[in-house]
Amino acid sequence: RRIDSVIRQCGYIPNMAAQHLGGATFKTVGLLMTHFRGIFSSDYHARVLSGVADALLETEYTFKLVMLKPIPGHWDHYNFRIGQGLDGLLVTHWPTFFSKASALEDLRVPCVVINDPEPHVRAHFVGGDNRAGGELAARYLHANGHRRIAVVSGPPWSSDGRQRLAGCGDGHSTHEGR
């Protein structure tokens, strides 16, 4: 009690880096996001931030936002455990950070990648069925009388965008000739 009293009086704050020198866990999950102007105005990014924060709220883990400049390849060999004090990492838009998907296998922390899956990479990916979504959108538009449809599919590196575009083509070709 006496020591605790002195700690409170002096405003002592433990040094987390020193506590983790022995290899203990940080109890911190990081969210890796591309740093660009207006990111916090983006509905997509706001929803990802909100979802991660909500999921960690009732756990013993803290949440750390890691915003890096998009330099493909620059982060391929970066140690996020040591450099950022993370026990796990969620990654958005991985191709903007890493030169190849196999870099995700060497991150030295458990990793979950949000969207843009690569089938032959040993990493955990989460996302929607973009091909089916594109097909459903095309069918819906066709059913409502639209015959000329433009698709904004996203950047060329995005497998999600390519899948949505392919699905839209599938949905459109189903109705061709009618």
Side-chain angles (χ1 to χ4, degrees):
R1 282 182 280 176
R2 194 168 163 201
I3 291 171
D4 288 338
S5 175
V6 171
I7 286 172
R8 280 191 301 276
Q9 288 173 356
C10 294
Y12 171 76
I13 299 172
N15 183 318
M16 287 187 66
Q19 288 178 342
H20 298 292
L21 287 176
T25 63
F26 294 95
K27 297 289 185 194
T28 302
V29 173
L31 173 61
L32 180 57
M33 295 175 70
T34 306
H35 193 179
F36 62 87
R37 292 188 198 291
I39 188 168
F40 293 111
S41 299
S42 160
D43 185 57
Y44 169 80
H45 291 95
R47 288 179 183 269
V48 170
L49 280 166
S50 179
V52 173
D54 289 353
L56 293 174
L57 187 61
E58 302 297 325
T59 72
E60 59 188 20
Y61 285 85
T62 59
F63 171 43
K64 182 176 186 178
L65 178 58
V66 180
M67 295 181 69
L68 301 176
K69 292 185 174 76
I71 308 169
H74 182 79
W75 307 104
D76 282 359
H77 302 289
Y78 184 74
N79 188 329
F80 287 91
R81 176 165 175 67
I82 302 296
Q84 296 292 325
L86 302 176
D87 291 315
L89 185 64
L90 300 164
V91 180
T92 65
H93 302 93
W94 71 263
T96 64
F97 302 110
F98 307 109
S99 63
K100 56 192 179 298
S102 61
L104 298 168
E105 298 174 10
D106 301 323
L107 289 178
R108 299 186 193 126
V109 294
C111 173
V112 174
V113 184
I114 301 169
N115 296 326
D116 293 304
E118 289 291 334
H120 303 295
V121 175
R122 289 187 330 256
H124 299 282
F125 290 87
V126 295
D129 186 342
N130 287 289
R131 189 174 192 117
E135 184 174 353
L136 287 171
R139 287 181 180 188
Y140 173 82
L141 291 169
H142 191 273
N144 284 283
H146 302 282
R147 298 298 179 262
R148 296 184 65 193
I149 301 167
V151 178
V152 179
S153 61
W157 54 259
S158 173
S159 61
D160 288 349
R162 291 191 306 272
Q163 289 295 313
R164 280 190 298 274
L165 184 59
C168 190
D170 292 346
H172 179 69
S173 65
T174 301
H175 296 289
E176 282 183 344
R178 290 185 186 178

